Amino acid sequence: MPFKSDEVKKGPHRAPNRSLFYALGYTKEELERPLVGVVSAYSEIVPGHQHLDKLSKAVCDGVRMAGGTPVLVPAIGVCDGIAMGHEGMKYSLPSRELIADSVETMARAHSFDGLVLVPNCDKIVPGMLMGAIRVNVPTVVCSGGPMLAGLVKGEETSLSKMFEAVGAFKIGAIDEAELEEYENNVCPGCGSCAGMYTANSMNCLCEAIGIALPGNGTIPAVYSARTQLAKHSGMKIMEAIEADLKPSDIFTLEGFENALASDMALGCSTNTVLHLLALANEVGVDIDLNTINRISEQVPNLCHLAPAGPTHMQDLYHAGGIQAVLAELAEAGYLHLDLPTVTGKTVGENVKGRVNKDTNAIRPLDNPYSQTGGLAVLFGNIAEKGCVVKRSAVAPEMQQHSGPARVFNSEDEAIEAIYGGKIVDGDVVVIRYEGPKGGPGMREMLNPTSALAGMKLDKTVALVTDGRFSGASRGASIGHVSPEAASGGLIRLVEEGDTIVIDIPNYSIRLDVPDEVLAEREKNFTAPAPHEVTGWLKRYARLVTSANQGAVLEK
């Protein structure tokens, strides 16, 4: 059969191209096979990526075993934990666009017949997928897998507890020795941090939508089963090339609905909203924030992994993993079961015979944590185009809350006030000018949310921002306020002491200030000086769209 890669390796006119392949050490026999781009995000700065060199090699082995020729190419990746709390976080979400562009560039420039994507953390997963969707050649995702949970004082723990420990230290709840114990033990080795944070959320959703093999979301990074998964991913891409199964066949409206149903059951990170909207935008599928609420109303929340609860990814894996969760959802009719996946089987065929082995990690349908899903999108005058909250990580007493606004024009101002003891029970912390344009880059607010949690304020204080949150955030953390302050959103007119009314069960958030007062503020409004940035972030700020559109770049 003819291959796309024939464009660079067949015929007399491609002799110069072949000579360059030969310079790389490829043989004539290898050039007669399909070329598979193995996109590896290996680096020595991201714990979730430090072992991807080995997994990428295993993928390459699988490709060769199945009769293909693997071609290893690189991708960048930012470690959100290391970038957190300083200007480095401005580069996290924007790097998604660089990654997408680089995958598109490498695949098109070299005419790959298929792709195996080897990411692990945060926005690297959706970035690679965005590029693969543009190229639309057969693709399989093989992530690096989750980190094992750490152990502190005899209890499983992970990165979210580390950030919260800083807040606890600030108020004297723990001493320096206890802080150091967390520091040395919460992250015991390679892999994406062990809770249902953004990285693991996206890797689980890749499995749910069918672009990754069963086990992709939950097999721990250090298990030999992860290496076996990588080899099988390399083998499966060859079957996908033979069947011409493309991302556009998997990322359909029904596929996204399966991903969202899984998202609600698992209690995934709020960042999945940004990333699923961005992927839908790439493939031309119409999904908006109302779609998310519709599915959230239907699908119960079955899992409370960290930070929402005490379980971690290894517990979910031993309970049967994502396929066990999908089996629960399939039983209740929440999934489209006839959709294709990269296993070569349908969603329904994949989940057949899968069972829940641990009802502490995956609650059954008749005993969910809540009858509604893990995420909710709130609307109101302060967020006309919506804002997002991980309601599965919000305490019952904070599902509805009304309090005075404490207003800050940057994350840095807010964290100084929180650590300074200036935030008290009942407050609603408002952090603005941290959106996609205003930040720019839509920084994650894990430092403020974890400080509040560590100071025991997560059940009495809410936080509202046009920025975003790490999946490790918990409490009434409401982000992605759209329109953002820098784009003229009402959040820019909030003043100290204004009452903000939050009603998560009814999907509502409201600034309780009369319209005539807001109109007067509008007339007298003067915007603060924009945050100073240099380099390509200036270009990003000019081109990026609102969070309710996935914070993608204008086309």
Side-chain angles (χ1 to χ4, degrees):
M1 63 178 285
F3 300 115
K4 181 175 177 57
S5 60
D6 291 348
E7 297 172 350
V8 295
K9 56 189 178 64
K10 290 287 186 182
H13 60 299
R14 294 304 182 207
N17 308 62
R18 290 193 296 275
S19 72
L20 294 167
F21 277 104
Y22 295 147
L24 290 162
Y26 291 98
T27 65
K28 181 180 179 182
E29 291 79 7
E30 286 176 298
L31 297 189
E32 289 172 353
R33 300 172 178 179
L35 297 183
V36 176
V38 179
V39 187
S40 174
Y42 165 72
S43 76
E44 295 182 346
I45 192 61
V46 186
H49 292 190
Q50 65 169 329
H51 62 305
L52 295 189
D53 54 340
K54 298 175 180 64
L55 278 187
S56 300
K57 180 183 180 300
V59 169
C60 291
D61 290 343
V63 171
R64 287 194 185 93
M65 284 190 281
T69 297
V71 183
L72 188 66
V73 296
I76 65 167
V78 171
C79 178
D80 280 10
I82 294 175
M84 195 71 67
H86 60 97
E87 71 167 357
M89 181 46 70
K90 293 179 185 287
Y91 285 86
S92 172
L93 183 62
S95 73
R96 185 185 69 181
E97 311 307 314
L98 294 181
I99 294 162
D101 291 349
S102 68
V103 171
E104 175 190 0
T105 298
M106 296 302 284
R108 287 202 190 280
H110 305 105
S111 296
F112 293 145
D113 297 296
L115 295 168
V116 181
L117 309 177
V118 191
N120 207 21
C121 292
D122 298 282
K123 81 303 309 162
I124 296 101
V125 179
M128 285 191 181
L129 279 170
M130 289 163 69
I133 288 170
R134 294 174 195 171
V135 179
N136 204 30
V137 296
T139 299
V140 175
V141 172
C142 178
S143 76
M147 185 185 292
L148 293 176
L151 201 66
V152 176
K153 298 179 180 177
E155 293 185 358
E156 279 190 10
T157 190
S158 56
L159 188 65
S160 57
K161 290 294 185 184
M162 179 70 255
F163 277 90
E164 291 176 17
V166 176
F169 175 74
K170 290 283 186 180
I171 62 168
I174 63 173
D175 60 23
E176 194 167 346
E178 290 172 298
L179 182 66
E180 189 174 354
E181 185 179 0
Y182 275 100
E183 184 179 333
N184 290 330
N185 292 289
V186 295
C187 296
C190 68
S192 47
C193 297
M196 188 54 80
Y197 311 143
T198 307
N200 291 323
S201 295
M202 290 307 300
N203 289 325
C204 289
L205 297 189
C206 284
E207 184 178 336
I209 204 169
I211 197 73
L213 298 182
N216 180 74
T218 59
I219 298 172
V222 296
Y223 283 16
S224 62
R226 179 60 59 174
T227 304
Q228 293 164 353
L229 180 79
K231 291 178 181 177
H232 284 129
S233 297
M235 296 178 202
K236 283 296 179 183
I237 189 60
M238 299 307 298
E239 293 182 20
I241 291 170
E242 179 72 25
D244 198 29
L245 179 66
K246 300 185 178 77
S248 58
D249 300 316
I250 292 174
F251 286 93
T252 61
L253 176 59
E254 293 79 10
F256 279 108
E257 288 180 341
N258 280 359
L260 284 168
S262 306
D263 196 328
M264 299 307 162
L266 291 164
C268 291
S269 163
T270 52
N271 283 317
T272 60
V273 174
L274 284 175
H275 298 325
L276 289 175
L277 289 173
L279 292 169
N281 175 74
E282 291 290 350
V283 81
V285 170
D286 185 20
I287 290 179
D288 61 19
L289 297 179
N290 290 304
T291 304
I292 294 169
N293 276 350
R294 172 176 60 81
I295 293 175
S296 183
E297 276 292 299
Q298 297 168 350
V299 180
N301 177 227
L302 305 180
C303 300
H304 263 194
L305 290 94
T311 53
H312 293 85
M313 295 305 295
Q314 65 204 47
D315 304 308
L316 181 57
Y317 169 66
H318 291 297
I322 300 309
Q323 297 303 310
V325 175
L326 295 180
E328 293 276 0
L329 299 181
E331 182 181 334
Y334 294 131
L335 297 179
H336 303 280
L337 297 177
D338 58 347
L339 303 184
T341 74
V342 294
T343 65
K345 300 176 182 179
T346 64
V347 172
E349 289 170 334
N350 286 340
V351 302
K352 190 174 182 180
R354 303 283 184 154
V355 296
N356 180 359
K357 302 174 185 176
D358 182 358
T359 55
N360 289 319
I362 307 170
R363 283 198 175 180
L365 286 166
D366 60 4
N367 183 33
Y369 282 100
S370 66
Q371 292 294 337
T372 51
L375 298 181
V377 180
L378 315 183
F379 294 92
N381 61 351
I382 196 175
E384 290 182 5
K385 295 184 178 179
C387 55
V388 184
V389 61
K390 185 174 181 175
R391 64 174 158 193
S392 60
V394 180
E397 56 265 44
M398 289 298 291
Q399 295 282 331
Q400 293 174 308
H401 179 76
S402 176
R406 305 298 308 281
V407 184
F408 306 95
N409 286 338
S410 72
E411 176 192 9
D412 310 274
E413 293 176 14
I415 196 70
E416 184 179 349
I418 294 168
Y419 284 154
K422 297 178 181 177
I423 304 301
V424 299
D425 291 345
D427 284 349
V428 178
V429 176
V430 176
I431 305 177
R432 60 194 179 190
Y433 295 100
E434 289 287 8
K437 283 186 180 295
M442 204 178 183
R443 287 198 285 182
E444 289 184 344
M445 303 289 163
L446 181 55
N447 274 357
T449 60
S450 57
L452 291 172
M455 294 171 149
K456 308 300 182 186
L457 293 171
D458 57 300
K459 294 181 180 179
T460 58
V461 172
L463 194 155
V464 177
T465 180
D466 53 9
R468 63 193 181 107
F469 298 109
S470 164
S473 291
R474 64 184 173 97
S477 305
I478 299 165
H480 307 198
V481 168
S482 301
E484 63 174 292
S487 295
L490 186 67
I491 191 173
R492 81 197 195 284
L493 300 181
V494 180
E495 293 186 358
E496 191 81 5
D498 286 349
T499 299
I500 293 177
V501 181
I502 298 163
D503 187 347
I504 295 173
N506 291 301
Y507 305 101
S508 171
I509 184 168
R510 178 169 53 87
L511 176 63
D512 193 14
V513 174
D515 289 343
E516 58 270 22
V517 174
L518 294 174
E520 189 64 26
R521 290 182 188 177
E522 179 79 64
K523 282 194 294 186
N524 299 317
F525 178 74
T526 301
H531 297 155
E532 215 172 294
V533 289
T534 58
W536 71 273
L537 279 186
K538 280 188 173 182
R539 185 169 70 249
Y540 177 85
R542 287 198 304 270
L543 295 174
V544 70
T545 61
S546 176
N548 68 295
Q549 297 174 273
V552 297
L553 299 185
E554 292 177 3
K555 291 188 177 179

